[in-house]
Amino acid sequence: MAELIVALDVQTKEEAVEKIKAIGDGVGFYKIGLELFTAEGPDVVKAVKDLGKKVFLDLKFHDIPRTVERAVKSGAKLGVDLMTIHSVGAKAMIRAAADAAAEFGPTGPKILAVTVLTSLDQSDLADVGISGRTPADQVAAMARFAIDNGANGLVCSPMEVGSLSKSLAAGTLFITPGVRPKGASVGDQKRIATPADAVKDGATHLVVGRPILAADDPVLAAKNILDEMNGAI
């Protein structure tokens, strides 16, 4: 069954804890990204873990292999469950991250490769020198590359997860941001889908932030998304 991950797109540890408590027992997985981690550091990871929740640390490492290896080990020691790296970091970096996580055994973090950010479309790729490829083409190429070099899964748009889940090995994790329940604002995402569509296409984890955090009733908002997800099975 696919899991819901709520993105803690807030600025302080106190806000994060408040949001988690407000959402309650219905959600057990939370994403900590650059904004929150830069503000609060490892303490916010510890605070979320102390509440009995799983952590998706989304810092998108892209550096020399040794630096990424050490960063993954630091995250593993904090009890992080999922971590992200950029697939463009090349073979040695991806393998260094995967090997570092593997040292912690079955309870170590799973390494997820970012292919093409969901805020990008074809014109954005052309702007950075990737011409002649659609986002789907680029995602497919980088996804295969990352999995072949040891990544456990991918962060990819729900627009691509259907084809990737059919072409990659069983057990590959597919984490999909850009998920919006019916009627929700698109925000800054360009390649989106509903929770039901994403699950039907093979997503193993859905990342949702504003539609839950900004809701008048976050418990109900999370429940409605979970109901959409479960109804797709």
Side-chain angles (χ1 to χ4, degrees):
M1 181 179 296
E3 289 190 80
L4 173 63
I5 302 176
V6 174
L8 290 172
D9 295 329
V10 297
Q11 296 182 329
T12 68
K13 178 178 67 176
E14 289 73 23
E15 287 180 274
V17 169
E18 179 182 338
K19 293 292 186 182
I20 293 170
K21 289 182 176 178
I23 295 168
D25 295 334
V27 175
F29 219 139
Y30 287 86
K31 179 176 85 73
I32 296 171
L34 284 168
E35 178 183 8
L36 182 56
F37 192 82
T38 301
E40 296 286 2
D43 284 349
V44 71
V45 177
K46 295 173 184 174
V48 176
K49 295 298 291 188
D50 285 346
L51 291 170
K53 307 299 184 180
K54 292 188 281 188
V55 171
F56 170 23
L57 186 61
D58 185 21
L59 303 183
K60 302 180 180 70
F61 297 141
H62 183 191
D63 212 311
I64 63 172
R66 183 62 170 164
T67 297
V68 171
E69 174 191 345
R70 290 177 174 178
V72 168
K73 288 181 178 180
S74 293
K77 290 173 183 176
L78 291 171
V80 167
D81 300 276
L82 301 174
M83 302 180 77
T84 48
I85 61 173
H86 270 292
S87 57
V88 292
K91 293 179 182 180
M93 192 205 79
I94 297 171
R95 288 173 176 162
D99 290 345
E103 288 184 21
F104 291 82
T107 60
K110 302 300 182 185
I111 300 299
L112 310 172
V114 175
T115 55
V116 177
L117 297 172
T118 56
S119 60
L120 304 183
D121 59 18
Q122 191 160 356
S123 65
D124 295 313
L125 293 182
D127 287 342
V128 296
I130 303 172
S131 58
R133 274 188 174 178
T134 65
D137 291 336
Q138 182 68 5
V139 167
M142 299 310 297
R144 172 69 65 183
F145 174 76
I147 297 302
D148 285 349
N149 285 286
N152 302 110
L154 304 162
V155 178
C156 58
S157 158
M159 297 295 96
E160 289 96 31
V161 69
S163 59
L164 292 176
S165 65
K166 293 180 177 66
S167 63
L168 297 174
T172 301
L173 302 177
F174 297 99
I175 286 69
T176 59
V179 174
R180 293 289 184 272
K182 292 179 181 179
S185 171
V186 171
D188 59 1
Q189 303 287 358
K190 294 181 180 178
R191 304 195 320 279
I192 65 170
T194 66
D197 289 338
V199 172
K200 286 177 183 176
D201 283 341
T204 60
H205 299 75
L206 308 188
V207 180
V208 181
R210 280 167 286 189
I212 294 175
L213 297 185
D216 292 334
D217 186 342
V219 175
L220 180 60
K223 180 182 181 300
N224 287 341
I225 291 172
L226 287 166
D227 286 346
E228 281 192 53
M229 293 166 63
N230 293 333
I233 300 173

